[in-house]
Every structure is written in structure tokens, then in C-alpha cells.
């Protein structure tokens, strides 16, 4: 019993640390976007910096999308722990390379690789957590894990503030810290009992002939299974929801540091850092509260409310704020608080709908297909900035209406039937050493 409890806490620690460093490495570019590209491009033009900044964000998002799909599928085949280690090393090394970029093209390629690794880590970390925790405890574990994303962004802002006028390259150099977590994973974490049971069951079936249809599902291609009729509706709705949140963040909220440069007309190192620290303090609180809110009002209403309030806050902020002041900081705090809730809710929801043997692929599709769409919108944001004569605020205000799509999609979210993961857990508790049945492995779903 003690070993099982420790496994739960190790999984939570690894998922939390992994997402913390995801947030740190993902957010570095947003906070240094203007000074970094001003140097690499040799210009102070907000329109030109905005144009090339949008291209680099698009590269990053495409890498993120591919990483989620590739590493998610790999996690279903070779295991969660190995895949997690590989993904963390990829984004750590790539972030270090960003520090030595000599052109915007180099920076774009390195940010693509950062996205590749982050996309894999987020998907695999969420799967792993859902296998180690269950029931109401899982809701709170996922919410706690999601706080680390805000902590990572907060850490980026704090490091930026600490480095003060130092080169933007130093901030990327600080992003190599995540490599240390791979040692912890290597020493402390093992695969979940559910995944081990699935692998053992697959191994035992390979020696048998004339498998039943139920047994063959264990060996089915996860991507193909995910697109079957019974899985297609929840998948499409989830993709619409996650796309709204991702587009909203990377074409609206991620421009806030560059917008603050524009508001102040200075390097604004202090102002940018403080703004992101305040916004991500809100994100940490919002993520921690999501599990309680979901239990209280349900998944649909949580997502719809989060998108609706974020849209209202963005409209107020980008259309009424014309200087860096306390009113802006209050709006940023609540933007951070509400904008994170939809993603946390989807992390809770996906394991409730998709069976164990395809969860890695389902997470990869759910969270990363939307990033391809977001990459296209990122390019549009660059064009919009030019259209609005370099105004980041007007472009962000226009693009924030994407949250309406999320509100509409939330209304169509199917209610999870429950049972998949819990049935496997019951089997593992009550039948130690007994081979799981096909229905327990393939057809059950988590509450």
C-alpha cells in the first residue's frame, strides 16, 4: 500500500515539475519577443517585429501539435516514462539553442523543436496522472498539476525581472534547467499498474491464436480507433474547445508583453515582468480552483463560463487601457484566472471518455490538432497588426472573439458515461496476478 501511495505522489511530482518547465520554456519567447526580434532583425518597427514574431509563434505551435501527436502515440506503444524523458530532453536542448540564435530563421527552427518537446510532455504527463489517480482525487490532482503551468510562466517573469537589463539570450540559457528533472524521473517513477496490466495482457495474447474481436482491440492502431463513430463526436467537440483556448492564448494573451512595450514606449523590462507575474498568479489560482468548480457546476458550464469571462475581460482591457497602471494589472489577474480553466477541464474530461489503450493518442489529438489551427491564426495576427498600423491591442481585441467558438462547443460536450479506468482499478485491487479481461482493459471508462 505504501508503494502504491508513493507511486501516486511521484507521478504527481513529475507531472507538476514537467508542466512547470513547459510553462517556463514556452513563455520565454513571449516575454522577450520584442527585444529579441528587434536585435535579430535590426529594427524597432512594431509592424515588422509583429510580422516575424507571428511566424515564429506559428512554427512553435506546429511543433507543439506534432509533438503531442507523435509522443502521444509513442506513449501508447513503448510506455509513458520513456516517452516523458525523451520529450523533456528535446525541449530543454532546443531552448538552450535559442540562446545562440543569430537570425530569426534559426530562432524559428529552435522554437519549433521546443514546441515538439513541450507538446509531448504535456500529453504524456496528463495521461500518466490520470492512470495513477482516480475519482474525485483525480480532478484535484489534475487541477494541482495545471497550477504548475502558471508557476512556470511566473518563474519566467521573475527570472526576467531578476536579470533586469541583461540580454534576452540569458533568459533562454536559463531554460536548460528542465534537464535535471529527467534524472528524478529516471530514479523515482515507474509505469502505472494500469499500463503494466495492459502491456502484460498484450504480451499474453501474442502467444494465442484465433483472437476474439474484443481481444484484437488491444492491438488496434490507436489513431484509427480514435476516429471511429462512437469516439468522433467527443473528439471533434474537444478539438473545438481546445482550439479556442489555444488560439486565444497564442494570438491574444501572448502579445501582452509586446503590447506593454508599445504602451510604455520603452524596453519595459520591469513592467512586462510584473504584468506576467500578476497574470500567472491568477492562472495558478484558477487552475487550483477548477476541480472544485467542475464538481460544483459541471464540465460544460465551467468551460462556457471561463471562455465568456475571458472574452469580456479582453474586450475591456484592449479597448480601454492606454497606460500601464493598476487597472491593467487587475484585468490581467482575472484573465489568467479564467483563461486556464477550459484546458484543465479538458484534461479531466479526456480520460473519462477514451479507453486506456488509446489515451495517449486521444490526448495528442485533443490538445494538438488545435495548435495547427492556432498556427494559422498566429500568421493572421501578424497581418492584422500590420492592418491596424502596428496596434497589438486592436489585433488582440478582434481575435479574442474566437472564445465564442469555445462557448458554443461547450454546449455540445457529451456527458461522460464513466467506468473505464475505475473498472481496471477494481480488477487490480481484487484480482492480483489475474490476467485482465478484454472488457476491463478496453471497454471501461473513468468517472
Amino acid at each position: 500500500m505504501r508503494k502504491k501511495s508513493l507511486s501516486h505522489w511521484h507521478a504527481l511530482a513529475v507531472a507538476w515539475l514537467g508542466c512547470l518547465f513547459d510553462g517556463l520554456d514556452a513563455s520565454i519567447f513571449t516575454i522577450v519577443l520584442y527585444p529579441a526580434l528587434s536585435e535579430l532583425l535590426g529594427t524597432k518597427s512594431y509592424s515588422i517585429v509583429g510580422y516575424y514574431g507571428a511566424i515564429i509563434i506559428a512554427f512553435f505551435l506546429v511543433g507543439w501539435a506534432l509533438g503531442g501527436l507523435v509522443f502521444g502515440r509513442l506513449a501508447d506503444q513503448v510506455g509513458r516514462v520513456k516517452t516523458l524523458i525523451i520529450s523533456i530532453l528535446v525541449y530543454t536542448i532546443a531552448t538552450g539553442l535559442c540562446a545562440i540564435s543569430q537570425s530569426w530563421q534559426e530562432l524559428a527552427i529552435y522554437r519549433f523543436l521546443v514546441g515538439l518537446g513541450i507538446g509531448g510532455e504535456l500529453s504524456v504527463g496528463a495521461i500518466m496522472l490520470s492512470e495513477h489517480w482516480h475519482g474525485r482525487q483525480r480532478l484535484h490532482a489534475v487541477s494541482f498539476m495545471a497550477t504548475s503551468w502558471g508557476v512556470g510562466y511566473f518563474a519566467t517573469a521573475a527570472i526576467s525581472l531578476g536579470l533586469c537589463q541583461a540580454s534576452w539570450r540569458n533568459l533562454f540559457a536559463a531554460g536548460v534547467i528542465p534537464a535535471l528533472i529527467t534524472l528524478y524521473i529516471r530514479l523515482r517513477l515507474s509505469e502505472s499498474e494500469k499500463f503494466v496490466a495492459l502491456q502484460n495482457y498484450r504480451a499474453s495474447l501474442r502467444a494465442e491464436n484465433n483472437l476474439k474481436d474484443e481481444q484484437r482491440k488491444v492491438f488496434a492502431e490507436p489513431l484509427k480507433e480514435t476516429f471511429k463513430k462512437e469516439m468522433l463526436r467527443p473528439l471533434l467537440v474537444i478539438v473545438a474547445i481546445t482550439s479556442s483556448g489555444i488560439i486565444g492564448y497564442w494570438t491574444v494573451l501572448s502579445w501582452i508583453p509586446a503590447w506593454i512595450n508599445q504602451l510604455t514606449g520603452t524596453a519595459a523590462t520591469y513592467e512586462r515582468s510584473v504584468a506576467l507575474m500578476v497574470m500567472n498568479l491568477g492562472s495558478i489560482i484558477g487552475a487550483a480552483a477548477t476541480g472544485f468548480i467542475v464538481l460544483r457546476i459541471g464540465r460544460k458550464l465551467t468551460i462556457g463560463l471561463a471562455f465568456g469571462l475571458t472574452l469580456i475581460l479582453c474586450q475591456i482591457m484592449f479597448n480601454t487601457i492606454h497606460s500601464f497602471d493598476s487597472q491593467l494589472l487587475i484585468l490581467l489577474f482575472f484573465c489568467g484566472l479564467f483563461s486556464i480553466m477550459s484546458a484543465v477541464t479538458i484534461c479531466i474530461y479526456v480520460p473519462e471518455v477514451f479507453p486506456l489503450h488509446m489515451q495517449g493518442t486521444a490526448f495528442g489529438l485533443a490538445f494538438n490538432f488545435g495548435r495547427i489551427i492556432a498556427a494559422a491564426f498566429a500568421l493572421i495576427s501578424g497581418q492584422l497588426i500590420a492592418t491596424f498600423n502596428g496596434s497589438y491591442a486592436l489585433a488582440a481585441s478582434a481575435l479574442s472573439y474566437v472564445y465564442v467558438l469555445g462557448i458554443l462547443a461547450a454546449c455540445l460536450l457529451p456527458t461522460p458515461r464513466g467506468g473505464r479506468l475505475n473498472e481496471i482499478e477494481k480488477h487490480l485491487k481484487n484480482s492480483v496476478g489475474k490476467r485482465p479481461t478484454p472488457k476491463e482493459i478496453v471497454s471501461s471508462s473513468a468517472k
Side-chain angles (χ1 to χ4, degrees):
M1 188 69 182
R2 179 175 173 80
K3 183 178 179 182
K4 182 178 180 181
S5 178
L6 285 175
S7 178
H8 278 56
W9 291 110
H10 287 156
L12 182 58
V14 166
W16 193 87
L17 288 169
C19 283
L20 184 156
F21 291 123
D22 279 352
L24 190 150
D25 283 1
S27 62
I28 291 174
F29 179 68
T30 64
I31 202 169
V32 303
L33 187 155
Y34 185 79
L37 289 182
S38 292
E39 178 184 318
L40 293 175
L41 294 168
T43 180
K44 299 293 183 182
S45 167
Y46 291 112
S47 295
I48 294 173
V49 168
Y51 176 78
Y52 287 100
I55 293 174
I56 293 174
I57 289 173
F59 266 77
F60 173 73
L61 290 171
V62 170
W64 194 332
L66 294 177
L69 295 172
V70 171
F71 284 112
R73 187 180 181 283
L74 188 65
D76 284 335
Q77 301 297 321
V78 306
R80 296 15 177 162
V81 176
K82 290 179 182 178
T83 306
L84 203 63
I85 291 171
I86 296 168
S87 65
I88 291 172
L89 287 175
V90 167
Y91 76 69
T92 300
I93 294 169
T95 298
L97 290 172
C98 288
I100 60 173
S101 299
Q102 298 302 313
S103 66
W104 75 266
Q105 293 96 332
E106 272 188 58
L107 187 56
I109 292 169
Y110 297 146
R111 288 300 289 173
F112 170 84
L113 295 174
V114 172
L116 198 72
I118 287 177
E121 196 285 330
L122 278 177
S123 296
V124 178
I127 302 160
M128 188 177 65
L129 204 63
S130 72
E131 292 174 358
H132 282 275
W133 294 76
H134 59 90
R136 290 193 175 190
Q137 289 182 332
R138 183 172 60 80
L139 268 67
H140 299 310
V142 170
S143 293
F144 178 73
M145 179 195 75
T147 65
S148 60
W149 186 258
V151 173
Y153 272 57
F154 188 94
T156 303
I159 293 169
S160 175
L161 188 61
L163 292 173
C164 201
Q165 300 301 321
S167 170
W168 55 270
R169 297 180 186 277
N170 293 341
L171 199 56
F172 278 119
V176 302
I177 297 170
L180 299 175
I181 195 179
T182 60
L183 179 61
Y184 177 87
I185 296 172
R186 199 67 187 169
L187 295 175
R188 293 289 183 180
L189 193 64
S190 57
E191 297 288 358
S192 70
E193 290 180 327
K194 298 180 189 68
F195 187 77
V196 171
L198 177 60
Q199 292 294 74
N200 289 341
Y201 184 61
R202 282 172 172 163
S204 66
L205 286 180
R206 287 190 181 98
E208 297 182 13
N209 296 318
N210 301 319
L211 297 180
K212 299 177 181 177
D213 290 341
E214 197 81 41
Q215 293 172 323
R216 289 194 185 94
K217 287 184 180 180
V218 178
F219 299 104
E221 168 55 50
L223 188 60
K224 184 178 178 181
E225 289 285 298
T226 307
F227 281 100
K228 284 192 172 180
K229 184 179 179 180
E230 63 270 21
M231 294 294 159
L232 193 57
R233 182 193 166 190
L235 178 66
L236 292 176
V237 174
I238 289 169
V239 166
I241 291 170
T242 55
S243 297
S244 300
I246 293 163
I247 293 168
Y249 184 83
W250 290 104
T251 66
V252 180
L253 301 181
S254 70
W255 287 99
I256 287 171
W259 175 48
I260 291 173
N261 279 120
Q262 201 169 54
L263 285 177
T264 62
T266 67
T269 302
Y270 172 80
E271 291 86 351
R272 284 185 285 119
S273 301
V274 170
L276 285 189
M277 288 170 73
V278 169
M279 187 170 77
N280 287 294
L281 179 61
S283 179
I284 293 165
I285 295 171
T290 301
F292 295 99
I293 295 172
V294 166
L295 286 173
R296 213 46 202 183
I297 65 175
R299 291 145 183 78
K300 291 183 182 181
L301 196 52
T302 300
I303 294 170
L305 188 67
F307 280 139
L309 291 172
T310 304
L311 172 59
I312 292 169
L313 289 163
C314 285
Q315 289 302 307
I316 295 171
M317 182 168 62
F318 291 117
N319 290 299
T320 68
I321 300 296
H322 302 291
S323 63
F324 184 84
D325 54 23
S326 59
Q327 186 180 355
L328 172 59
L329 294 178
I330 291 169
L331 290 168
L332 285 173
F333 174 84
F334 284 105
C335 270
L337 191 146
F338 292 114
S339 63
I340 191 71
M341 288 184 178
S342 61
V344 180
T345 305
I346 292 299
C347 280
I348 292 168
Y349 181 81
V350 168
E352 298 172 341
V353 177
F354 294 92
L356 178 65
H357 69 293
M358 66 171 72
Q359 277 181 21
T361 303
F363 263 106
L365 284 170
F367 275 97
N368 296 294
F369 185 80
R371 298 192 199 281
I372 299 290
I373 303 172
F377 271 83
L379 296 176
I380 292 170
S381 70
Q383 296 294 334
L384 271 180
I385 290 167
T387 301
F388 290 123
N389 297 317
S391 173
Y392 296 144
L394 290 177
S397 174
L399 286 165
S400 66
Y401 282 102
V402 72
Y403 290 123
V404 173
L405 172 63
I407 296 169
L408 295 175
C411 297
L412 302 174
L413 194 70
T415 302
R417 295 178 180 177
R420 278 187 185 116
L421 293 180
N422 285 345
E423 288 301 317
I424 297 176
E425 288 166 357
K426 290 175 185 177
H427 172 81
L428 291 171
K429 288 179 181 177
N430 300 328
S431 307
V432 177
K434 180 181 174 183
R435 189 176 76 181
T437 66
K439 289 185 178 180
E440 289 173 322
I441 294 276
V442 178
S443 303
S444 42
S445 148
K447 291 182 181 177

